[in-house]
Amino acid sequence: MAKICRPDIAAVSLTDIAVNLTDGMFKGIYNGKQVHPPDIPAVLGRAWDAGVKKIIEFDESGDPDRHMQQLTELAKEGAARGKVVAVGECGLDYDRLQFCPKETQRRYFEKQFDLAEQLKLPMFLHMRAAADDFVDIVQRNKHRFIAGVSHSFTGSTDDLQKLLSINNLYVGINGCSLKTEENLDVMAAVPLERMMIETDSPYCEIRPTHAGYRYISTTWPSKKKEKHDIGCIVKNRNEPCQVRQVLEVVAGHRQLKDLSALSAILDRTTTKVFFPKDVSVVKDEVASGDQQGD
């Protein structure tokens, strides 16, 4: 398997909070056509080599009215086994009203808090061009969920401040969050203790035309999908290993030199929210309690 092109850079510990491994592209299917064999083992291998320790994967659910009970039962079973760690993806997307009108989105967004409240799980949230309605609904229901992340954040500084006003809400940064200089400046205003990073793969890669690309130091050999090579990433298909590039852009624009320290901060936050029974979180809580006792 191909190695990272810059193996000398600092070791990191990363969690990619948004991966769509059930997407057809990871099965080699593009626009309904089989182009190359499925390659998830190679994709995961590259992720582990890049320092990714955990991946949170999301799949599509059906019509809420028809599937809510089945979804609740499935989520309860999965949560009991430690396999389901969040409720989502839920939220509002006013850029895609051709698929669902605002009124329907708002109504079912409210209903999705029922599931988070029942399961005592954090929420994985989506907000695009809908900051006012999104924040209004989340504020109204913030007592019903333990924490949440607004993933793939692409909003303005004003949108960011609205999100940060909700103290149990975090901000997810990926390639879509790092396209323009304005995006980079907004990202730099996110407190590190409120930030998580992600790929949203196979989408949202950081492209050479994006403002954040100049900070990337880790790359992988790539080939077009028609010339698929198990040792290379597929050109224009994002992978979990590339969450390392998101880390590099965050560090570069914020002028942070220590990638390991940055990754530790981000990973600690992510683990605390989505993996609260992780031994590292328990140790931190014990240590914090001891210090308060002193």
Side-chain angles (χ1 to χ4, degrees):
M1 181 176 294
K3 295 295 183 181
I4 300 172
C5 291
R6 287 286 306 279
D8 58 317
I9 65 174
V12 295
S13 180
L14 301 168
T15 298
D16 187 348
I17 67 165
V19 179
N20 303 283
L21 287 177
T22 58
D23 189 277
M25 281 190 250
F26 290 123
K27 301 172 186 175
I29 300 171
Y30 300 78
N31 299 317
K33 180 181 178 182
Q34 189 80 48
V35 179
H36 61 75
D39 59 353
I40 287 180
V43 168
L44 293 178
R46 280 190 285 273
W48 311 148
D49 287 345
V52 179
K53 307 301 183 187
K54 298 186 186 76
I55 286 173
I56 301 178
E57 192 232 334
F58 284 84
D59 198 1
E60 295 180 359
S61 60
D63 183 324
D65 283 335
R66 190 173 55 199
H67 295 291
M68 182 63 80
Q69 187 57 43
Q70 291 177 320
L71 188 61
T72 302
E73 292 172 1
L74 180 64
K76 284 181 178 178
E77 178 184 347
R81 296 172 55 203
K83 301 297 183 182
V84 174
V85 300
V87 172
E89 179 175 352
C90 353
L92 303 174
D93 191 330
Y94 289 176
D95 272 350
R96 299 178 181 178
L97 297 178
Q98 68 272 29
F99 298 116
C100 187
K102 290 182 180 181
E103 295 75 17
T104 303
Q105 290 192 40
R106 286 194 292 262
R107 182 167 69 252
Y108 285 110
F109 187 24
E110 293 269 8
K111 289 190 66 168
Q112 287 159 343
F113 287 92
D114 294 344
L115 196 54
E117 189 171 27
Q118 287 182 56
L119 298 173
K120 302 294 189 291
L121 288 174
M123 298 188 75
F124 192 84
L125 301 166
H126 177 98
M127 180 192 80
R128 185 175 289 127
D132 289 339
D133 284 351
F134 178 91
V135 171
D136 178 60
I137 291 172
V138 175
Q139 280 279 19
R140 201 160 55 242
N141 292 278
K142 65 181 181 180
H143 62 286
R144 303 178 65 201
F145 68 104
I146 58 176
V149 58
S150 180
H151 101 108
S152 192
F153 180 72
T154 58
S156 65
T157 301
D158 185 53
D159 293 340
L160 174 63
Q161 295 309 316
K162 290 175 182 176
L163 292 182
L164 294 177
S165 70
I166 304 171
N167 59 15
N168 59 340
L169 199 59
Y170 298 81
V171 180
I173 300 295
N174 62 24
C176 291
S177 314
L178 307 168
K179 288 183 177 181
T180 68
E181 294 296 338
E182 181 184 3
N183 289 155
L184 292 176
D185 290 342
V186 172
M187 175 275 292
V190 181
L192 290 179
E193 66 274 12
R194 300 284 294 275
M195 181 187 291
M196 299 180 186
I197 56 175
E198 57 177 281
T199 57
D200 204 21
S201 54
Y203 314 104
C204 295
E205 67 172 330
I206 304 174
R207 299 190 175 189
T209 55
H210 294 174
Y213 189 83
R214 67 181 181 269
Y215 297 114
I216 290 175
S217 59
T218 305
T219 59
W220 291 261
S222 66
K223 290 188 177 181
K224 293 181 179 180
K225 58 184 182 293
E226 294 83 4
K227 297 183 178 181
H228 183 258
D229 182 333
I230 203 72
C232 299
I233 65 173
V234 175
K235 189 175 179 63
N236 296 328
R237 185 188 71 174
N238 204 7
E239 290 191 13
C241 63
Q242 290 167 275
V243 74
R244 188 173 190 126
Q245 295 180 334
V246 178
L247 179 75
E248 291 171 351
V249 176
V250 171
H253 194 69
R254 297 177 75 131
Q255 299 183 1
L256 303 173
K257 303 299 184 183
D258 192 335
L259 281 181
S260 294
L262 174 60
S263 75
I265 293 170
L266 302 178
D267 196 52
R268 191 180 305 119
T269 297
T270 305
T271 302
K272 179 181 69 175
V273 172
F274 292 113
F275 306 96
K277 295 181 180 179
D278 187 283
V279 64
S280 62
V281 174
V282 174
K283 284 182 178 179
D284 285 347
E285 290 177 348
V286 170
S288 176
D290 289 344
Q291 291 175 2
Q292 290 176 4
D294 293 343

